[in-house]
Amino acid sequence: MKLKSCSALILCFLCFFVAKASTEDRAADAAAIRAHIESIFQAFIDVAQDKIFATHSEDWRGFLEGSRTPIKGIDDYMHANGIEWPRPANAPKSTPYLPPGTTYKVFDFDVQFYSPELAVASFFGEFQKDTITLRRFRIMDVYAKRKGGWIQVASHTVVDPEWRAEQMSHPMNLTPPIRQR
C-alpha cells in the first residue's frame, strides 16, 4: 500500500514538472513568434526586402488585403505586397512604403499551439507616425517550427474594418490640387 502511495505521489510530481516545463516552453515559443512578427513590421518600415523574404516560408499560403484568390508561395507574396522580386542585382533601393519616423505597434496578441511545431497567432498590428495610426491590420498568422526556429507559413491579413470605418467618418481635408480636379 505504501509503495502504491509513494508511486502515485512521484507520478503526480513528475506530471506537475512536465506540465510546468511545457508551459514555460510555450511561453518562450510565443515570445519567439511575437518577436518574429515584430521583425516583419520593422522590415516593412526599413524597406528590408531580403528580410521580408527571409521571414516567410517558400511554400507560404494566404490572403492579403484585396487578394481575390489564394496567394501561393513566397514569390507571389512578395509581388502581392508590391515588391519587385527577385530584385535585379543593380536595382536602385526601393521607395519607402511608409513615411520616415514610422513605428509599429502590435496588440491583442494571442498564440494558440496545435502541436509542438504548429501555432496560430491572432493580433492587431498598426503603423504609426507620431501618435497617428497610418494603417491598422487585423491578422491571423500560421507559424511552423522548421530547422529549429519559427517561420510564418500562412496568413490572412486585412485592414481592420472598424479602423477603416472610423477613418472614413472623418472629414477629409481637400488640398488645392484635389479641389481643382
Side-chain angles (χ1 to χ4, degrees):
M1 184 70 158
K2 221 175 191 181
L3 183 59
K4 282 185 178 181
S5 294
C6 189
S7 295
L9 187 60
I10 290 171
L11 183 59
C12 286
F13 277 119
L14 182 61
C15 288
F16 172 77
F17 288 115
V18 168
K20 185 169 172 50
S22 176
T23 302
E24 289 170 359
D25 289 348
R26 298 286 78 168
D29 285 335
I33 290 169
R34 183 178 179 126
H36 191 270
I37 288 166
E38 290 180 352
S39 77
I40 295 169
F41 275 88
Q42 191 62 52
F44 274 99
I45 290 170
D46 296 340
V47 195
Q49 296 170 337
D50 291 338
K51 175 76 171 178
I52 295 167
F53 180 86
T55 53
H56 296 76
S57 69
E58 287 186 30
D59 59 347
W60 189 93
R61 296 292 189 267
F63 291 94
L64 299 176
E65 180 75 22
S67 60
R68 298 210 175 269
T69 59
I71 300 166
K72 300 174 183 174
I74 183 61
D75 290 339
D76 287 347
Y77 171 85
M78 299 294 278
H79 293 135
N81 275 295
I83 299 169
E84 182 183 3
W85 197 263
R87 300 266 306 148
N90 51 355
K93 186 171 170 125
S94 295
T95 309
Y97 311 114
L98 302 157
T102 298
T103 60
Y104 68 87
K105 177 180 164 186
V106 173
F107 58 98
D108 288 344
F109 185 80
D110 179 65
V111 177
Q112 177 67 42
F113 293 91
Y114 291 94
S115 77
E117 298 177 347
L118 181 67
V120 174
S122 302
F123 59 95
F124 288 89
E126 62 185 35
F127 291 105
Q128 301 174 331
K129 173 82 168 125
D130 301 320
T131 59
I132 298 168
T133 299
L134 303 174
R135 189 167 297 146
R136 179 179 301 145
F137 295 100
R138 184 171 62 186
I139 301 173
M140 183 176 75
D141 287 341
V142 179
Y143 271 78
K145 199 166 202 178
R146 295 186 177 163
K147 299 177 186 174
W150 290 99
I151 190 161
Q152 190 185 111
V153 296
S155 185
H156 185 254
T157 303
V158 296
V159 173
D160 178 29
E162 287 183 23
W163 178 81
R164 177 181 280 148
E166 178 188 316
Q167 297 307 301
M168 294 179 80
S169 71
H170 295 162
M172 186 174 148
N173 290 330
L174 295 178
T175 61
I178 292 174
R179 197 171 283 156
Q180 187 177 7
R181 272 190 261 153

